Amino acid sequence: MSAFDQIALTKSVCKIVMAATGLAANKIIIGDINSPAPAGSYCAVRLDSPAQFGQAINSQRDVVATDDPQFKDIIATVATQFTLGFSLNFYRSGALMYAAAICEANKREPVKALLRTAKLGWSRVSPINNLTGLYQAAMEERAQLTLYLYGESIAEDRIQRIYRVGFSAQTEQSGAIAQGEVNGLSG
């Protein structure tokens, strides 16, 4: 991911949930967007706990300078690694079954393909929380788990090299002045 895009990441996880559970796309919603719940069984996906881990990967490469093609600029890249925790909340009939389908889903080919496309890595799944309880005078099945994925946020900066520097120096005793230029093209 070139930038930390919460909506794009959450949509990728919605596709993973769809592939793992068999729920229809319109039954998997992004949590916390204040929209009505779908009829029947559904899942709400929410990015809960992004956390940086490890050390950022730094790299540099030369590119043609923007101001003069005979010179080179540097593109400095910093790739920050993240663990992304997505809360998956399943509601109504089959909630526990759908939550269980997420466990080890990274072994399934459709999920592997989705992870590769989104440039995400599978870390782990938390234990399933059975939240079944009384809701509007009836028992409603509910389950929650957290899916942890690995991701990366990449930032690039252009650094312009200094190719020519003029200087002037004066001594304290004699007042002699030296002037000159350091030119990167002269070697």
Side-chain angles (χ1 to χ4, degrees):
M1 83 183 118
S2 60
F4 196 79
D5 185 346
Q6 181 176 342
I7 298 297
L9 287 168
T10 305
K11 286 181 179 179
S12 294
V13 172
C14 289
K15 290 177 186 175
I16 291 168
V17 171
M18 187 171 66
T21 64
L23 281 168
N26 66 345
K27 300 291 185 174
I28 303 168
I29 63 171
I30 297 174
D32 299 335
I33 58 171
N34 201 21
S35 62
S41 300
Y42 72 98
C43 176
V45 177
R46 182 182 74 236
L47 177 59
D48 241 1
S49 54
Q52 177 268 333
F53 77 94
Q55 292 293 318
I57 300 167
N58 295 312
S59 62
Q60 294 182 348
R61 69 182 190 280
D62 288 340
V63 295
V64 175
T66 55
D67 55 344
D68 189 337
Q70 69 177 333
F71 298 118
K72 299 275 186 190
D73 286 346
I74 298 171
I75 299 294
T77 303
V78 177
T80 304
Q81 301 167 353
F82 287 95
T83 300
L84 305 161
F86 289 90
S87 179
L88 308 181
N89 292 275
F90 295 92
Y91 298 90
R92 303 188 183 124
S93 180
L96 289 167
M97 174 191 68
Y98 292 128
I102 299 298
C103 300
E104 302 291 334
N106 60 314
K107 309 287 193 296
R108 299 183 57 202
E109 290 304 322
V111 174
K112 287 182 190 180
L114 290 166
L115 288 167
R116 277 191 300 272
T117 300
K119 296 182 180 179
L120 295 169
W122 188 280
S123 175
R124 68 189 187 281
V125 174
S126 72
I128 298 169
N129 297 309
N130 183 351
L131 304 175
T132 301
L134 193 60
Y135 181 73
Q136 294 183 351
M139 291 300 284
E140 181 177 287
E141 193 176 346
R142 292 182 182 184
Q144 184 279 333
L145 59 82
T146 303
L147 169 61
Y148 294 95
L149 301 175
Y150 294 120
E152 189 174 78
S153 177
I154 298 172
E156 290 188 336
D157 297 299
R158 180 178 286 268
I159 302 167
Q160 294 181 322
R161 291 183 173 148
I162 299 173
Y163 283 95
R164 215 171 288 123
V165 176
F167 64 88
S168 177
Q170 183 175 3
T171 63
E172 286 184 19
Q173 284 88 9
S174 68
I177 297 176
Q179 293 180 334
E181 180 178 273
V182 176
N183 184 332
L185 294 178
S186 63

